[in-house]
């Protein structure tokens, strides 16, 4: 649904011969023109003062070349290649201004064409031979066009029927038997020049040649590959014309064909068979001279040249531009000019057209854009599509009709050139009444103004016709607004030999646009007043030259110059003033933008610009770099990206400023949803959330982005339009919690209005059913509530949001009509967090007595639907109301044979026991125990059995009183349960509470709680002999558990055995206590027999530990160095030997990484297993810290193990210090010195290895060069040199590798040993010992 919008026209003056050839040099921004005299260069932006006669760069006479006709002129690499009819292939070198004859074809040249990759040159000689030359002008292949062979890809007949047996339509089978009429397949059109045409496919793999066959004297196509092999020949096509062009995307070959009743542009496949066509508007005075596709295959140019049979009238050439969508062809523009010599696309852009006239070169710049109504002015979402003299109109608010269809057509007498929609508050009819929509149409120097109307009378006026039937029934009733022409202004005198472009409808009710005069080559700004009795036209010369685009807001009109600068048009003075942005700078787009729009945001003007490279700019800055289309919709900016996303950005200054900071920030403030590949924005319905997208194949899709929808709902909720809100939420499945979450305070205040507005009980029931204790403005729809000051859900409903809403809305429904809203009232009871089904049942019971059975049965059915029937029966039973129970059981699916005996049995029970039985049945055990408490002790055994069976020990203890008979039994049973599970710490107190002291003593014995054991024995009144046995048993158990300190206390306090007490203290390494106790009891022999041997034994054990730590650290550090060297070597090998393509991809992809000898992206690595289970995560961690040689994580495992050795060595300082003190006091100086020195040596070893294991992070002082000034190869060389020559890079890689470790393993462990653990006098003893040894 895009139109071709002409955005600029420029010209270059130069006298050009009829048969001259022309090419464009985009690097130097100039045209090369080759004629029979020589070669000249014309600057595209040259001034008029240079005159039409530009001197030749070189003349053929000076180069010794004589020619009567130039065949082609092409820019190949840095040279200009010219071919002549005489057979010369010339090369012009711009640097030296030399002309070189690269080769000569003796037969002469009729046509030539370079391949798209400039590697091959195809020549067709005068003898119809095809010659392929390479870039060095050496022959590659040759074949004749007049050969009878079809080609290598000749069709194969497999015998699937004969022509006589096939269907022949209205002609009948006789047509199959008739001999072919040779006259139909022979001859050419009178205006065919007979010259061959050559066209390459876009990928340069195949080319087609159109030529006149010598036998049939008719045109045929030959298709060959780049190797010069003839592939196929086209089918016989009567009066096939000369124009030829292969669509760049490779799908179709284009030509033209005039039939008796129509003029067609036809297409061929690469196998030579016909494939589709479309009909040109009938013009008997013209013929198709050339056809040409633009570079992206989006627009087809058809050049219609006049017949030269009549010389009395000067006829005009017509250049038509066609587009196709959904297999429907649209004539988007038609340029009418005299004396046109050549028309072609040039490489300044995909939509840059060059028309060569006898005295000038005209340059037309187009842009594909959607002509849509302005959202602030029209709510219809009108979209107009130009198709020749017809304007296809579709109001998407009222009718969603996909192209190529439309709602209605407006037909004009001439080609439609441009469309401009009216801005806000300017749409009024002749009587001054506001109208829904208005637009201006430019066609053949006339401006027609159309306004919307609901009537179908008087639609045809001013030579224009409105067709809304479109093949429908004559009785078709129009249900959408139509447009009628209410005024027309003829600008024939003003626009004589001129073109009006970039038209906009301004706030002053005038049409403003750029006028270009072809004869004067001048640009001016034309302003036409609309609602004036007398035509008022104002024309002001534009000193800035051509303008690329125009747009307007409700206050101002803006133009964009070719440099990207934005100027504001002052209609009063007729001047252009630079536009100032919000930052005070003049607004200049970084690059010129063919599409632009403007809007006011927070009283500041923001100009949006988009170019073909996908850059979307706001004023002077880039907003997105991957934009495929954009649209200003109400309070949002809609953007589609090349990554197939629709972004919705609020039009707020804060949001725009945040989005400009970085792409990540833009994504954070913009709503996002996925769309179909290649989708582009067409329009969006104002005041609504409908967004219309067009797919690449042409069909449309209507979506409802959540961010826009929530924005609409916010507006509706603020205006308390609850009925429409609920309607939209039901249709689009929006969480209805938003009704409350948007403004909790307002909802609770207007709860009565909500019920009255929604009115439907079913809708309110749906709202209540969807309630949940979650603030959707902070979860689902947080995008629409960022930076919004509001009262949160927690502020209004601190306990429970669901309960608050249910209570409030229930009260409102009861006030409005309790009977009408009975069902949602029941739902509000059930939905509460602590479900109040019993209240709902009582409400029904009350309703049954007051309103009869009909409403009661409906309510009960509703309860059974929203709640589980069994649960409802249980709730009824839990009320102890047997009438209510019977009421529910009757409507449930339960078997009366089952529940009636059960109910009768309950009725016969005592009240408290009946409640106990019901609660047990309902598994409400706490309630059951409370009921049992009131029954006395008659049912203790039953209660105890229940507790044991259901493991309800905690509940039983909680609910039964302490003095109840069942309490001790429950405590004893609970203790047995814990004892069986070896939970002795829980069983022992329970036994003690149940006064089962024997069992408590056993449990405390298992815990080695010797004090509690003695207490229990005392409570059991053990005899002295029993206590003595108990003490010995205790000491044995304590020594088994290596609790030597506790055993020593028992020995000393209760058994009075100082020898065993000293032994236990020595084994507990309590050296001072052991010596002190020996001295206290005057048993010095115990020191020599018990304390000193244990001290020496412990010294030896610690020396062994120190030696093991020292050897392990040395071995692991050596292995770590080897592993790191191997990994560094692998990294360097990978940099040097991996494929160039992989290196390039690494340079352009930040997520790629080198691991071993392979290169893979982070995305592929992340696509593997996720290790979600705890078991797999632990297994992975074990693998990570494995020290198995050759494993992927060996270095990490070594670091982890060394870290543990560091901690272990640090913990030895305190016990070693105690041992050193005792050894020295016992005179064991040699052992003390040896122990202290060995630990000192270990600490020095660890300090020396610490920097190797955990390298410190150092900042590299060398500046790292990067940027667009460096090529990829230079960046790679720098990267490789830094990796080879600088150890800083290796350190950085080690630090990066260590990030895979746990945080506490990435650094050496913190030293916790006391600073005074060693003794200085032992060091002196070492020095004196060494001196005495040396003297001896």
């Amino acid at each position: 649904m895009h139109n071709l919008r002409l955005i600029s026209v420029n010209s270059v003056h130069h006298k050009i011969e009829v048969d001259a050839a022309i090419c464009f040099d985009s690097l130097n921004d100039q045209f090369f023109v080759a004629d029979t005299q020589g070669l000249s260069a014309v600057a595209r932006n040259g001034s008029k003062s240079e005159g039409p006669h530009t001197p030749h760069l070189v003349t053929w006479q000076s180069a010794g070349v004589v020619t009567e006709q130039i065949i082609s002129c092409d820019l190949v690499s840095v040279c200009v290649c010219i071919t002549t009819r005489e057979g010369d292939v010339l090369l012009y070198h711009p640097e030296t201004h030399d002309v070189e004859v690269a080769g000569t074809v003796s037969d002469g040249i009729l046509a030539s064409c370079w391949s798209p990759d400039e590697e091959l040159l195809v020549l067709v000689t005068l003898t119809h031979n095809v010659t392929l030359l390479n870039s060095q002008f050496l022959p590659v292949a040759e074949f004749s066009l007049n050969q009878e062979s079809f080609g290598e890809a000749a069709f194969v007949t497999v015998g699937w029927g004969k022509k006589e047996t096939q269907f022949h339509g209205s002609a009948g089978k006789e047509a199959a038997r008739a001999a072919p009429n040779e006259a139909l397949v022979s001859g050419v059109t009178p205006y065919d020049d007979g010259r061959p045409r050559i066209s390459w496919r876009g990928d340069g793999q195949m080319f087609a040649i159109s030529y006149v066959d010598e036998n049939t004297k008719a045109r045929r196509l030959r298709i060959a590959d780049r190797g010069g092999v003839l592939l196929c020949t086209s089918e016989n096509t009567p009066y096939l014309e000369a124009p030829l062009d292969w669509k760049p995307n490779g799908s179709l070959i284009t030509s033209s064909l005039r039939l008796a009743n129509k003029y067609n542009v036809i297409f061929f496949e690469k196998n030579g068979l016909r494939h589709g066509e479309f009909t040109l508007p009938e013009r008997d005075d013209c013929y198709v001279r050339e056809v040409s596709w633009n570079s992206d295959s989006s627009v087809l140019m058809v050049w219609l040249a006049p017949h030269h049979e009549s010389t009395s009238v000067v006829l005009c050439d017509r250049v038509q531009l066609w587009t196709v969508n959904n297999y429907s062809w649209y004539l988007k523009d038609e340029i009418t000019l005299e004396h046109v010599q050549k028309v072609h696309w040039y490489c300044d852009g995909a939509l840059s057209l060059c028309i060569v006239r006898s005295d000038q070169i005209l340059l037309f710049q187009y842009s594909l854009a959607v002509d849509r109504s302005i959202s602030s002015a029209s709510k219809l979402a009108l979209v107009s599509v130009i198709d020749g003299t017809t304007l296809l109109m579709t109001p998407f608010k009222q009718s969603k009709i996909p192209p190529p269809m439309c709602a209605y057509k407006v037909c004009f007498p001439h080609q439609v050139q441009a469309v401009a929609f009216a801005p806000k508050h300017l749409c009024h009819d002749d009587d001054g009444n506001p109208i829904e929509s208005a637009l201006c149409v430019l066609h053949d120097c006339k401006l027609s103004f159309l306004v919307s109307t609901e009537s179908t009378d008087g639609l045809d006026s001013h030579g224009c016709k409105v067709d809304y039937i479109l093949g429908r029934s004559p009785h078709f009733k129009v249900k959408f607004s139509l447009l009628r022409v209410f005024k027309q202004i003829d600008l024939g005198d003003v626009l004589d030999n001129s073109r009006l472009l970039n038209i906009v409808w301004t706030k002053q009710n005038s049409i403003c646009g750029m006028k270009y005069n072809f004869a004067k080559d001048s640009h001016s700004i034309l302003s036409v007043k609309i609602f004036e009795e007398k035509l008022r036209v104002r024309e002001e010369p534009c000193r800035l030259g051509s303008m690329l685009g125009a747009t307007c807001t409700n206050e101002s009109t803006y133009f964009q110059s070719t440099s990207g600068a934005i100027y504001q048009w002052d209609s009063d003075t007729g001047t252009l003033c630079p536009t100032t942005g919000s930052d005070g700078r003049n607004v200049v787009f970084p690059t010129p933008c063919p599409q632009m729009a403007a809007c006011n945001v927070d009283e500041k003007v923001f100009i949006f610009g988009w170019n073909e490279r996908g850059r979307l700019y706001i004023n002077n800055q880039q907003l997105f770099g991957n934009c495929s289309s954009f649209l200003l919709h109400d309070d949002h900016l809609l953007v589609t990206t090349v990554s197939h996303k629709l972004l919705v950005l609020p039009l707020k200054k804060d949001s725009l400023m945040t989005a400009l900071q970085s792409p990540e920030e833009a994504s954070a403030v913009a709503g996002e949803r996925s769309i179909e590949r290649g989708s582009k924005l067409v329009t969006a319905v104002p005041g609504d959330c409908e967004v219309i997208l067009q797919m690449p194949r042409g069909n449309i899709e209507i979506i409802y982005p959540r961010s826009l929808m929530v924005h609409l709902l916010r507006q509706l909720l603020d205006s308390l339009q609850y009925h429409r809100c609920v309607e939209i939420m039901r249709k689009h499945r929006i969480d209805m919690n938003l009704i409350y979450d948007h403004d909790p305070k307002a909802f609770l205040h207007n709860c009565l209005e909500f019920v009255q507005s929604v009115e439907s009980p079913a809708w309110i029931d749906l709202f209540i059913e969807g309630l949940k204790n979650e603030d959707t403005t902070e979860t689902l729809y947080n995008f629409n509530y960022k930076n919004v000051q509001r009262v949160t859900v927690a502020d209004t409903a601190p306990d429970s949001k669901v309960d608050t809403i249910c209570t409030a809305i229930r009260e409102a429904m009861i006030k409005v009509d309790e009977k009408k809203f009975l069902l949602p009232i029941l739902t509000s009871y059930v939905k509460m967090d602590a479900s109040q089904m019993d209240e709902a049942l009582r409400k029904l019971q009350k309703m049954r007595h007051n309103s009869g059975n009909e409403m009661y049965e409906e309510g009960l059915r509703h309860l059974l639907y929203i709640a589980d029937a069994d649960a409802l029966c249980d709730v009824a039973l839990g009320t102890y109301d047997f009438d209510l129970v019977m009421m529910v059981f009757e409507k449930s699916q339960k078997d009366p044979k089952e529940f009636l005996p059960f109910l009768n049995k309950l009725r016969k029970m005592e009240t408290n026991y009946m409640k106990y039985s019901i609660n047990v049945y309902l598994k409400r055990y706490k309630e059951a125990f409370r009921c049992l408490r009131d029954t006395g002790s008659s049912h203790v055994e039953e209660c105890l059995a229940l507790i044991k069976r259901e493991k309800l020990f905690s509940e039983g203890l909680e609910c039964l009183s302490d003095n109840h008979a069942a309490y001790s039994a429950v405590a004893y049973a609970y203790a047995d349960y814990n004892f069986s599970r070896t939970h002795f710490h829980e069983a022992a107190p329970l036994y003690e509470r149940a006064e089962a002291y024997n069992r408590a003593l056993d449990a405390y014995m298992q815990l080695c709680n010797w004090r509690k054991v003695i207490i229990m024995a005392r409570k059991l009144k053990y005899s002295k002999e029993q206590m003595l046995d108990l003490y010995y048993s205790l000491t044995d158990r304590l020594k088994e558990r290596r609790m030597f300190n506790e055993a020593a206390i028992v020995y000393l306090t209760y058994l009075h055995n100082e020898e065993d007490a000293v032994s236990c203290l020595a084994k507990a390494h309590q050296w001072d206590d052991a010596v002190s106790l020996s001295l206290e009891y005057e048993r010095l022999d115990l020191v020599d027999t018990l304390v000193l041997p244990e001290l020496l034994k412990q010294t030896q054990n610690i020396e062994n530990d120190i030696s093991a730590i020292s050897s392990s650290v040395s071995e692991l550090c050596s292995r770590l160095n080897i592993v790191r060297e191997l990994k560094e070597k692998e990294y360097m090998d990978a940099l040097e030997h991996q494929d160039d393509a992989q290196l390039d991809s690494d340079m352009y992809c930040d997520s790629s990484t080198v691991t071993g000898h392979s290169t893979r992206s982070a995305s592929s690595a992340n696509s593997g297993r996720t290790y979600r289970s705890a078991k797999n995560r632990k297994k992975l961690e074990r693998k990570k810290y494995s020290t198995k040689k050759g494993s992927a994580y060996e270095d990490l495992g070594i670091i982890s193990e060394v870290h543990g050795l560091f901690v272990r060595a640090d913990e030895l300082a305190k016990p070693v210090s105690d041992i050193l003190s005792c050894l020295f006091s016992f005179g064991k100086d040699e052992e003390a010195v040896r122990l202290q020195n060995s630990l000192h040596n270990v600490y020095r070893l660890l300090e020396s290895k610490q920097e190797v294991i955990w390298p410190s992070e150092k900042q590299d002082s060398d500046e790292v060069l990067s940027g667009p000034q460096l090529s990829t190869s230079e960046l790679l060389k720098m990267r490789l040199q830094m990796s080879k020559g600088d150890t800083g890079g290796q350190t950085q890689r080690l630090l990066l590798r260590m990030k895979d470790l746990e945080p506490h393993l990435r650094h050496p462990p913190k030293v916790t040993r006391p600073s005074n653990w060693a003794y200085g006098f032992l060091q002196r003893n070492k020095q004196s010992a060494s001196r005495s040894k040396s003297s001896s």
Side-chain angles (χ1 to χ4, degrees), residues 428-435 484 486 531:
H428 298 82
D429 58 13
D430 297 330
D431 300 328
N433 300 318
I435 54 180
R484 64 176 181 87
F486 81 99
F531 300 107

Side-chain angles (χ1 to χ4, degrees), residues 59 76 93 112 278 334 368 429 449 589 658 720 832 838 865 901 971 987 1047 1065 1071 1077 1086 1093 1157 1168 1224:
T59 61
V76 182
H93 301 276
S112 67
F278 71 91
E334 184 177 77
L368 280 170
D429 58 13
F449 297 91
F589 292 144
T658 302
L720 303 182
M832 295 185 73
D838 52 343
Y865 175 75
L1065 289 174
W1071 317 111
L1077 187 62
L1086 298 180
H1157 289 289
F1224 188 77

Side-chain angles (χ1 to χ4, degrees), residues 1252-1268:
V1252 177
I1253 301 169
W1254 292 282
S1256 58
E1257 185 173 1
K1258 298 179 181 179
Q1259 296 294 331
D1260 191 1
S1261 60
D1262 296 335
E1263 183 181 2
V1264 179
L1265 298 177
S1266 62

Side-chain angles (χ1 to χ4, degrees), residues 722 739-740 743-751 754 767 805 809:
Y722 291 116
I739 298 175
Y740 174 82
D743 190 344
K745 188 176 181 180
F747 177 83
L748 295 176
H749 184 264
N750 298 286
C751 209
F754 171 78
F767 165 69
I805 298 174
I809 202 169

Side-chain angles (χ1 to χ4, degrees), residues 147-200:
Q147 60 181 298
E148 296 181 359
S149 171
F150 180 87
E152 295 291 333
F155 302 118
V156 178
T157 301
V158 294
W160 290 350
K162 299 180 179 179
K163 187 175 182 180
E164 291 80 2
T165 63
Q166 296 175 358
F167 178 70
H168 299 282
S170 60
K173 291 187 178 181
E174 296 300 326
R177 302 188 184 97
N181 188 354
E182 296 296 334
L184 294 178
V185 297
S186 62
V188 294
T189 56
Y191 37 80
D192 194 328
D193 59 7
R195 291 173 55 187
R197 303 289 196 278
I198 306 172
S199 180
W200 282 86

Side-chain angles (χ1 to χ4, degrees), residues 663-834:
E664 294 76 14
E665 296 292 339
S667 301
V669 298
E672 179 181 296
R673 70 158 288 172
S674 298
I675 56 176
E676 187 174 336
R677 179 184 295 270
S679 301
K680 292 186 178 181
L681 289 162
V682 175
T683 188
V685 178
D688 209 332
C689 49
E690 294 176 271
V691 177
I692 293 88
L693 300 168
Q694 186 170 27
M695 308 300 109
R697 55 187 177 274
N699 62 309
I700 63 171
E701 181 179 337
I702 301 173
I703 62 174
Y704 300 83
R706 283 297 166 93
S707 51
L708 286 183
M709 190 168 296
V710 175
H711 179 74
L712 173 63
L713 290 172
R714 286 180 58 188
Q715 297 175 341
L716 296 175
L717 289 170
D718 288 338
S719 58
L720 303 182
Q721 299 183 43
Y722 291 116
H723 186 277
R724 191 182 173 199
C725 277
V726 176
E727 184 180 16
I728 292 174
M729 288 179 166
R730 287 179 67 249
K731 181 179 179 181
H732 297 288
R733 301 179 67 85
I734 301 294
D735 195 333
M736 290 192 183
N737 281 271
L738 185 65
I739 298 175
Y740 174 82
D741 298 338
H742 170 71
D743 190 344
K745 188 176 181 180
F747 177 83
L748 295 176
H749 184 264
N750 298 286
C751 209
L752 188 63
E753 186 173 348
F754 171 78
V755 175
Q756 293 172 342
S757 175
V758 176
E759 193 178 8
S760 170
W763 288 12
I764 297 179
D765 189 68
L766 187 65
F767 165 69
I768 297 174
E769 185 61 33
L771 291 176
K772 54 188 176 183
N773 288 315
E774 174 188 317
D775 190 350
T776 55
T777 63
E778 297 179 356
T779 54
L780 282 175
Y781 311 118
N782 63 331
F783 165 75
N784 293 81
Y785 288 88
K786 290 179 179 177
N787 303 321
V788 176
Q789 298 295 329
R790 46 183 294 275
V791 179
T792 62
V793 174
D795 297 334
T796 57
D799 297 331
S800 171
K801 163 189 162 182
V802 174
D803 289 353
T804 303
I805 298 174
C806 287
T807 303
I809 202 169
R810 186 191 310 128
E811 293 174 355
M813 289 186 291
I814 292 174
K815 286 182 181 179
V816 175
D817 190 341
E818 184 177 8
K819 293 182 180 179
K820 178 181 178 180
F821 296 104
L822 174 63
L823 302 186
I825 288 174
L826 296 176
T827 304
S828 68
Y829 282 116
V830 176
K831 186 62 181 178
M832 295 185 73
D833 290 344

Side-chain angles (χ1 to χ4, degrees), residues 589-591 593 607-632 636-652 655-673 681 783:
F589 292 144
T591 59
C593 297
I607 311 293
F608 297 84
W610 176 87
N611 63 16
E612 292 87 347
R613 294 182 177 272
R615 307 290 192 267
L616 180 62
Y617 301 109
I618 297 182
N619 293 349
N620 302 68
Q621 295 177 271
Q622 178 178 306
L623 179 60
F624 295 106
N626 60 343
C627 172
S628 59
S629 65
F630 79 101
L631 168 65
L632 297 179
H636 290 83
L637 169 67
L638 307 183
V639 175
T640 58
T641 67
V642 294
S643 57
H644 328 303
K645 302 287 184 182
L646 173 66
L647 304 180
V648 181
L649 187 66
L651 284 176
K652 297 180 181 178
S655 300
L656 295 177
M657 293 299 103
T658 302
L660 285 171
Q661 294 177 6
S662 66
E664 294 76 14
E665 296 292 339
S667 301
V669 298
E672 179 181 296
R673 70 158 288 172
L681 289 162
F783 165 75

